[in-house]
């Protein structure tokens, strides 16, 4: 039997490595200056990585369930490491297609597999505190940029872009590999239930991924997850230039705000997921969306720097909380039998939102010459999300008769 706190530490080890993708913006300007690529060409590598994160998690979730966290973690290590080393080659050759292939496609697959690998295992070690457990792991992904950003900046300044990816690729492979080797699910136990037993929550039974996807609850969760990420990642993509254009911050002040956003992104994940253990996942999502309706609506009209930052931080806190509470919500509704696979299918929403969010903001900014319209549009989307979350809270619980309960 593994120590569950070391299992949690291993989960953080994987997520804090792959979460370095959120620090990509630190390298954007150095890459543009050194290779002469445009902003859109350079940032598209990030969008491709998020796209493949979502869809590899969706399609490879069954693999994670079948072969276990150790093997899937090592697969993540291989793909993510190859992505980092391949990115170094792409930069050395000045090849944009190779950058998209290695950082976006191959690295993105490593991100997707690595993201879902520890979650199901961790939930099983903390059955009474599922929100706290998943928040621990996913917190690492949110906090990663705080560590990776300054490290990447320093390595690039001191050694160069190519060497930055070679050094970090080696470090991340060691960290992901060591973490994966410790991961092991707890032993399963079955408890027989007499024939004619009372109906029990399906969470204690465990639905398969294919069964879960046929339910309206899954489709509702996919939608609210997609909207939350689309709006949150859209704001993240323009936080710095928006702060400078709308409220007159200088570049240093905007950069400082982005750093605090990273802190709230990570901190919100563990705080909200832990709180959800006490107030319930359904109510937590209702609260997220209510806060975001008000925050986006107010953000569309403010020119005060302090209020701008407070509203942006509130939104990003809920954005991070939406990630960390989702695995626990899925386990509440569908059990832990194929949680990695079900979680992976939900993460396809992230892949789609990673492209849709920044694109929507860019289009609205171009055609309206401002951010007011897109922010109000996002507020409207969260009104719909609040309604869907309310229905899930009131009518989403699933029950099913069975003769065997998996403990």
């Amino acid at each position: 039997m593994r120590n569950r706190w070391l299992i949690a530490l291993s989960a953080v080890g994987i997520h804090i490595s792959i979460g370095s993708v959120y620090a990509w913006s630190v390298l954007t300007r150095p890459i543009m200056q050194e290779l002469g690529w445009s902003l859109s060409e350079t940032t598209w590598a990030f969008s491709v990585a998020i796209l493949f994160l979502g869809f590899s998690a969706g399609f490879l979730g069954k693999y994670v369930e079948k072969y276990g966290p150790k093997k899937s973690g090592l697969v993540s290590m291989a793909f993510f490491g190859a992505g980092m080393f391949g990115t170094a080659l792409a930069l050395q050759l000045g090849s944009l297609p190779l950058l998209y292939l290695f950082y976006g496609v191959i690295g993105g697959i490593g991100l997707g597999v690595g993201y879902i690998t520890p979650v199901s295992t961790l939930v099983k070690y903390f059955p009474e505190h599922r929100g706290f457990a998943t928040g621990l792991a996913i917190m690492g992904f949110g906090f990663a940029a705080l560590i990776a950003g300054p490290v990447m900046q320093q390595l690039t300044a001191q050694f160069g872009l190519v060497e930055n990816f070679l050094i970090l690729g080696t470090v991340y492979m060691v960290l992901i590999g060591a973490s994966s080797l410790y991961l092991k699910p707890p032993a399963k136990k079955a408890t027989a239930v007499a024939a004619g037993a009372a109906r029990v929550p399906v969470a204690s039974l465990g639905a398969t991924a294919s069964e879960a996807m046929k339910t309206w609850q899954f489709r509702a969760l996919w939608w609210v997850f997609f909207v939350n990420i689309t709006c949150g990642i859209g704001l993240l993509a323009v936080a710095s230039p928006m702060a400078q254009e709308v409220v007159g911050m200088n570049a240093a002040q905007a950069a400082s705000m982005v750093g605090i956003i990273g802190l709230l992104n990570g901190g919100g994940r563990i705080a909200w997921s832990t709180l959800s253990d006490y107030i319930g996942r359904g109510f937590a999502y209702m609260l997220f969306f209510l806060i975001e309706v008000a925050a986006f609506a107010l953000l569309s009209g403010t020119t005060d720097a302090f209020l701008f930052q407070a509203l942006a931080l509130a939104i990003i806190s809920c954005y991070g909380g939406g990630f960390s509470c989702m695995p626990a919500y899925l386990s509440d509704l569908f059990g832990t039998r194929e949680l990695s696979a079900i979680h992976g299918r939900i993460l396809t929403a992230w892949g789609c939102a990673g492209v849709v969010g920044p694109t929507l903001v860019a289009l609205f900014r171009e055609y309206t010459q401002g951010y007011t319209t897109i922010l109000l549009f996002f507020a409207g989307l969260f009104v719909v999300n609040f309604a869907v979350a309310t229905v899930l809270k009131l009518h989403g619980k699933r029950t099913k008769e069975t003769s065997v309960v998996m403990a």
Side-chain angles (χ1 to χ4, degrees):
M1 174 65 74
R2 296 281 200 265
N3 182 293
R4 67 177 185 169
W5 293 107
L6 292 180
I7 290 287
L9 185 62
S10 298
V12 172
I14 293 175
H15 273 233
I16 211 163
S17 299
I18 62 176
S20 60
V21 68
Y22 269 165
W24 175 256
S25 62
V26 171
L27 302 173
T28 300
R29 293 183 70 85
I31 290 174
M32 291 168 61
Q33 291 168 358
E34 186 167 320
L35 298 171
W37 294 335
S38 69
L39 177 62
S40 60
E41 287 174 332
T42 306
T43 55
W44 187 243
F46 172 79
S47 292
V48 174
I50 296 300
L51 179 66
F52 275 83
L53 183 163
F55 282 91
S56 63
F59 290 111
L60 298 177
K62 281 280 190 181
Y63 172 90
V64 174
E65 293 290 354
K66 181 178 180 180
Y67 294 101
K70 181 185 295 185
K71 289 183 179 179
S72 59
L74 293 175
V75 168
S76 171
M77 174 198 73
F79 273 90
F80 191 67
M84 295 290 282
F85 295 143
T87 299
L89 175 64
L91 295 175
Q92 180 69 41
L93 299 176
S95 172
L96 200 56
L98 282 180
L99 177 68
Y100 297 155
L101 172 64
F102 283 108
Y103 192 84
V105 178
I106 296 174
I109 292 172
L111 289 171
V113 176
Y115 193 90
I116 60 176
T117 285
V119 171
S120 177
T121 301
L122 200 53
V123 165
K124 293 169 185 174
Y125 277 94
F126 293 84
E128 301 303 319
H129 301 283
R130 295 177 179 183
F132 170 74
T134 57
L136 273 178
I138 296 174
M139 171 191 69
F141 199 96
F143 274 137
L146 283 177
I147 301 171
V151 171
M152 286 179 176
Q153 194 171 35
Q154 184 64 31
L155 288 175
T156 300
Q158 189 167 349
F159 300 106
L161 279 169
V162 172
E163 290 76 6
N164 164 72
F165 282 98
L166 292 175
I167 294 169
L168 288 181
T170 302
V171 171
Y172 288 146
M173 285 191 74
V174 171
L175 186 54
I176 296 172
S179 299
S180 300
L181 290 173
Y182 192 78
L183 289 177
K184 181 181 178 181
K188 292 182 178 179
K189 297 178 182 178
T191 304
V193 178
R199 293 167 70 87
V200 295
V202 76
S204 64
L205 309 174
T208 65
S210 59
E211 289 170 346
M213 289 184 68
K214 294 174 183 176
T215 66
W216 70 266
Q217 290 94 332
F218 179 90
R219 292 188 289 272
L221 282 174
W222 193 98
W223 168 258
V224 297
F225 198 44
F226 169 74
V227 169
N228 197 47
I229 300 170
T230 294
C231 302
I233 210 166
L235 180 62
L236 281 171
V238 297
S240 178
M242 185 178 170
Q244 295 176 63
E245 293 175 34
V246 175
V247 297
M249 288 186 184
N250 59 39
Q253 290 171 329
S256 176
M257 183 193 72
V258 171
I260 299 172
I261 282 176
L263 184 65
L264 263 291
N265 188 9
R269 294 173 188 234
I270 185 64
W272 280 114
S273 60
T274 302
L275 180 63
S276 76
D277 282 332
Y278 299 96
I279 67 174
R281 252 65 71 175
F283 187 72
Y285 274 88
M286 290 172 63
L287 193 55
F288 291 155
F289 304 146
L290 197 60
I291 291 171
E292 287 174 294
V293 167
F296 272 110
L298 290 171
L299 195 63
S300 70
T302 187
T303 55
D304 179 78
F306 178 79
L307 182 59
F308 178 93
Q309 292 179 82
L311 293 170
L313 293 176
I315 290 167
I316 296 305
S317 171
C318 294
Y319 167 79
F323 276 104
S324 60
C325 291
M326 183 55 70
Y329 205 170
L330 291 171
S331 69
D332 291 344
L333 295 177
F334 304 112
T336 59
R337 178 180 172 187
E338 290 193 1
L339 180 58
S340 289
I342 298 170
H343 187 211
R345 303 294 171 85
I346 282 285
L347 289 177
T348 58
W350 191 4
C352 295
V355 175
V356 173
T359 302
L360 272 179
V361 172
L363 287 174
F364 272 85
R365 173 68 181 86
E366 180 180 347
Y367 288 108
T368 66
Q369 300 300 309
Y371 299 98
T372 300
T373 305
I374 186 61
L375 293 174
L376 289 174
F377 177 69
F378 284 167
L381 286 178
F382 279 113
V383 172
V384 177
N385 258 23
F386 179 77
V388 175
T390 301
V391 173
L392 274 168
K393 166 65 177 173
L394 297 176
H395 305 290
K397 188 175 181 181
R398 302 174 64 240
T399 58
K400 184 178 179 181
E401 285 186 283
T402 187
S403 59
V404 178
V405 177
M406 297 304 297

